[in-house]
Amino acid sequence: MSDVLVIGGGIVGSSVAYHAARAGLGVTLVDRRDEGHATAAGAGIIAPGVGDGESDGHNALVAQAAAHYPRLLAHLTEDGEEEPGYWRVGALVIATNEAEADFLAGAGRFAEESLGAGVPGIDRAAMVDGAVARELFPPLAPVPAALHLAGTARIGGRLMRDALQRGAQRRGATILRGDVALRRDDRRSVHAFIDGRQAPAETVVIAAGAWSAPLGAEIGLPLPVFPQRGRSRIWRCPATTPTGGPWS
Ligand SMILES: Cc1cc2nc3c(=O)[nH]c(=O)nc-3n(C[C@H](O)[C@H](O)[C@H](O)COP(=O)(O)OP(=O)(O)OC[C@H]3O[C@@H](n4cnc5c(N)ncnc54)[C@H](O)[C@@H]3O)c2cc1C
């Protein structure tokens, strides 16, 4: 019997499995590897200080997540991971017209406030003109302005996920490929089944990304997690791509 059964091996489930295994718990992670899982598609931008200052809950979560990375990276190094896919490449938020430049100025003030308030994971925030933006990122078309956030990071989702899973395995976790279903019995206990076979666990964690709500529904648990379509495009730019290439 596992202490923790994690459903989903994207970045969230892998992180749960890693942290639980490091805490000494017996962990089983099961992943179905669906096409379209978000971790392989995400741009991986870890940019505290980007926001409008209005969503306190979101901003606090982003700040705490960014602050956690140095500790996480130290733990992964301790567990033998040399390339977990984390690069402090900075960020440029582009204004393509004057109206967007005005909006960005507000975002820039929020970024400076965040910096002043000691939000970690950001070294410097400054509005720059189009020429400076192109110096920082030569392939850029002419733009009126940009917000430059120096020192913010980007992660390679697949690299980080794999590092977390390997780290969890080194700490004793079992990682399986399979399809988990949940059932609730008459006494309201939850039972998990991997490919139809019961898998007893003290605690079940649903980290199934866009598939979480249907899993919750199987046991009468409403989970307000909805799929949202997104696209990112990644270019290799010799002038800007750090050695090692953060593109996987
Ligand atoms: C285009 C795009 C750009 C993005 N950019 C950013 C960004 O810049 N910064 C940022 O922070 N976030 C970004 N995101 C969001 C981020 O990628 C996601 O929030 C994150 O990857 C979600 O991870 P997850 O583990 O919850 O889900 P997923 O990666 O989707 O993993 C869920 C896993 O659960 C498995 N699963 C589902 N049901 C079951 C089951 N019943 N049994 C077993 N396994 C199951 C699936 O097969 C899948 O492997 C972006 C997303 C997209 C699509």
Side-chain angles (χ1 to χ4, degrees):
M1 167 144 149
S2 310
D3 295 321
V4 184
L5 173 71
V6 182
I7 309 173
I11 199 158
V12 174
S14 304
S15 178
V16 170
Y18 178 62
H19 287 86
R22 266 194 76 96
L25 296 170
V27 176
T28 301
L29 179 149
V30 188
D31 187 32
R32 209 168 51 193
R33 295 198 205 154
D34 287 285
E35 280 287 318
H37 62 273
T39 296
I45 303 164
I46 310 293
V50 177
D52 52 15
E54 285 172 12
S55 169
D56 285 344
H58 176 261
N59 296 331
L61 177 65
V62 170
Q64 282 175 33
H68 180 61
Y69 269 97
R71 200 160 57 239
L72 173 62
L73 294 169
H75 286 164
L76 286 170
T77 304
E78 206 175 278
D79 285 328
E81 291 302 321
E82 289 170 6
E83 183 45 284
Y86 174 93
W87 304 273
R88 295 194 74 182
V89 290
L92 269 182
V93 188
I94 306 300
T96 58
N97 55 44
E98 292 304 331
E100 286 179 4
D102 287 346
F103 176 79
L104 264 194
R109 280 191 292 279
F110 173 67
E112 280 169 23
E113 279 167 27
S114 302
L115 198 58
V119 169
I122 170 170
D123 294 339
R124 205 172 54 254
M127 287 300 292
V128 297
D129 63 22
V132 173
R134 284 180 83 171
E135 266 173 42
L136 289 163
F137 190 71
L140 191 63
V143 294
L147 171 61
H148 180 218
L149 301 163
T152 60
R154 175 174 185 272
I155 63 157
R158 279 178 277 205
L159 288 177
M160 181 62 78
R161 172 200 62 196
D162 292 349
L164 289 164
Q165 289 193 9
R166 283 190 302 265
Q169 281 174 310
R170 284 193 201 100
R171 297 261 169 182
T174 301
I175 310 244
L176 305 172
R177 183 167 186 169
D179 180 16
V180 182
L182 298 175
R183 300 281 175 269
R184 198 188 274 280
D185 66 20
D186 294 344
R187 286 183 297 177
R188 301 194 52 77
S189 298
V190 170
H191 303 276
F193 298 83
I194 304 172
D195 295 331
R197 295 184 60 176
Q198 189 154 7
E202 193 66 39
T203 301
V204 174
V205 176
I206 299 177
W211 297 270
S212 295
L215 259 179
E218 290 177 4
I219 51 170
L221 179 68
L223 290 175
V225 178
F226 307 100
Q228 186 180 20
R229 189 179 172 81
R231 287 178 185 217
S232 56
R233 178 163 289 201
I234 294 172
W235 288 273
R236 269 180 203 282
C237 302
T240 56
T241 303
T243 316
W247 317 122
S248 50

